[in-house]
Amino acid sequence: MTTNQLEEKLKNTPFLFRPQLTIPKNINFGLEIELEDIDFDIVESKVKKQFGESFKVKTDKSLRRDHNAEIVTPVLRNTKETWIMLKKLTKLIQVLQPHFDNCSFQINYDANLLPTIEDKVRFLKLFAVYEDIIYRFSKGEDEHYRDSIDEYASPIILQLKGYMNIADDRTMVEMFTHHKRYGINFKRNPKELIEFRTPNGTHNIVLWQNYITTFYYLLKLAANPKFSRRELDEYINKFCNTYLLEIYEIEDIEKAQKLSDMLFHNSLDKRYFMKQYIGLNK
C-alpha cells in the first residue's frame, strides 16, 4: 500500500471517542494535565466542585508562564465509568480555554509492568529506537512541540547511547530516574511509577486515549523477554544524528507501520495510531 493509499484509507476512518479501550481493565494509570494562561483558583475550584478531593490541582515550575495549573487525577482504570469522567474533564478544560505552548500531557503506569532491570533497559532502548515515531505521534492536534522541550521532555537516544558505553544496566536506569528532563522518567517516591512526558499538551480526549493505549502496549512489548536487544543496540550504536527534532519531523511510514504492527492486535488501534502519526487527527 502506498502512502497516498494509506492516507485515503485513514481519512475514511472516523477519529472518535471510545467508551472503553483495548488495554486490560486491571491496569492502573494516572494522568497529569498541564495548562497555561489560566487562573489557578478558578481551575482548582471547578475541578474540586465537579470531581471531588481525589483530583489534585497544583502549580508547576516547569511551565514558563505565571498563570498555570496542573490537574492530577487519582489512580484510574480502563472502565466505562473512568472514560465518562475523563470526557467530562476534557469538556471542562475546553471551557477554561488554556494554552499548551509549554505544556505536556503525562501518563503514569505502575512500575510492575517492567518488573526487572533488564525489562527497564529493554524498554529504554525500544523507546529510543522508535523515538522519532513516538515524538511525531505525540505532538498534539496543533502539531507543535512544547517550547521548553529541551528542559522537560527531551529525546533520550543520544544520552542512552552515551550511557551504553560506560554504564551497567542498573546505572543506566538510574540515569533516567527522577529526571524530568527526558520524555521518560522512572519515579520512586512515594510509589514506583513509569512516567511518559509527551512533547505537547492537549485536552483532546481521543488523543488521551491513543496515548494511554500506545504507551501501555509499548511497555508490554518491552517486558517480553523474547524481544531481542541486539537489534536495538545495533540501531542505537549506529545513530549519529544531532538535530533530533528536525529529523523527527520527517515521516517514516514504513517504520511507523512496523511499530504499529508490533504493538497492536486490534485493527482500530492500528488505524488510530497511524492516523495520529500522519497528522490526520484534526
Side-chain angles (χ1 to χ4, degrees):
M1 183 182 298
T2 66
T3 299
N4 289 338
Q5 288 173 329
L6 176 62
E7 288 191 11
E8 280 303 312
K9 180 180 179 180
L10 294 173
K11 283 177 183 177
N12 294 323
T13 300
F15 207 59
L16 302 176
F17 169 78
R18 290 177 277 179
Q20 206 161 1
L21 305 179
T22 59
I23 71 173
K25 292 181 182 179
N26 65 343
I27 297 300
N28 293 331
F29 63 90
L31 308 179
E32 300 173 41
I33 305 107
E34 296 178 349
L35 314 171
E36 282 192 327
D37 287 341
I38 204 82
D39 187 299
F40 175 86
D41 293 333
I42 292 175
V43 176
E44 183 178 44
S45 173
K46 289 186 177 295
V47 168
K48 297 287 186 182
K49 182 178 180 180
Q50 190 164 349
F51 301 102
E53 294 297 323
S54 63
F55 278 69
K56 308 299 180 186
V57 181
K58 58 183 183 178
T59 57
D60 192 314
K61 293 180 181 178
S62 72
L63 300 176
R64 292 182 172 177
R65 294 174 182 164
D66 293 335
H67 301 289
N68 70 71
E70 181 180 60
I71 302 170
V72 182
T73 72
V75 175
L76 304 170
R77 289 191 171 186
N78 178 35
T79 65
K80 291 181 180 179
E81 293 75 20
T82 289
W83 287 109
I84 289 170
M85 179 175 62
L86 290 180
K87 193 171 186 181
K88 290 177 181 177
L89 178 59
T90 59
K91 288 181 178 179
L92 172 60
I93 294 173
Q94 281 183 293
V95 171
L96 294 170
Q97 296 184 313
H99 290 161
F100 296 100
D101 289 346
N102 303 301
C103 296
S104 175
F105 176 75
Q106 296 156 17
I107 310 169
N108 295 278
Y109 299 89
D110 282 342
N112 61 16
L113 291 172
L114 299 174
T116 70
I117 290 294
E118 185 178 3
D119 291 334
K120 290 181 174 66
V121 171
R122 192 185 302 113
F123 162 70
L124 286 170
K125 292 179 178 181
L126 179 65
F127 186 92
V129 168
Y130 288 96
E131 190 171 57
D132 55 336
I133 307 300
I134 294 166
Y135 267 59
R136 197 175 194 282
F137 164 79
S138 304
K139 288 171 63 178
E141 59 263 79
D142 60 0
E143 296 290 303
H144 169 73
Y145 291 125
R146 66 185 295 182
D147 294 343
S148 55
I149 188 171
D150 289 337
E151 299 170 75
Y152 295 111
S154 180
I156 72 169
I157 189 167
L158 294 178
Q159 284 71 24
L160 186 64
K161 179 181 178 179
Y163 298 147
M164 283 169 56
N165 297 323
I166 62 173
D168 60 20
D169 283 1
R170 189 172 297 277
T171 303
M172 219 182 312
V173 171
E174 288 296 323
M175 298 296 186
F176 295 94
T177 299
H178 294 307
H179 208 320
K180 289 189 173 185
R181 179 184 175 188
Y182 301 111
I184 293 298
N185 180 30
F186 295 114
K187 296 179 176 178
R188 286 213 185 103
N189 294 316
K191 184 178 180 180
E192 287 198 41
L193 298 170
I194 306 157
E195 180 184 45
F196 290 84
R197 304 171 58 82
T198 70
N200 193 5
T202 181
H203 55 58
N204 185 321
I205 188 70
V206 181
L207 299 194
W208 289 14
Q209 291 189 320
N210 288 350
Y211 292 144
I212 291 164
T213 301
T214 297
F215 296 147
Y216 165 73
Y217 285 118
L218 193 68
L219 292 168
K220 184 179 178 183
L221 179 62
N224 184 349
K226 294 181 180 178
F227 193 88
S228 172
R229 281 172 53 169
R230 188 171 66 177
E231 182 181 344
L232 303 177
D233 288 348
E234 289 175 356
Y235 180 96
I236 294 169
N237 282 322
K238 290 178 181 177
F239 191 86
C240 58
N241 295 306
T242 53
Y243 298 100
L244 296 182
L245 296 182
E246 289 87 345
I247 294 166
Y248 290 179
E249 288 291 292
I250 301 170
E251 274 189 11
D252 189 336
I253 299 297
E254 184 178 351
K255 187 176 180 182
Q257 285 187 301
K258 180 181 178 181
L259 178 60
S260 176
D261 288 339
M262 288 193 298
L263 294 179
F264 308 116
H265 297 294
N266 180 275
S267 60
L268 189 60
D269 285 341
K270 292 183 179 185
R271 291 200 300 273
Y272 273 29
F273 176 83
M274 290 303 301
K275 191 176 178 81
Q276 187 169 322
Y277 171 74
I278 292 173
L280 300 174
N281 51 282
K282 306 294 189 297

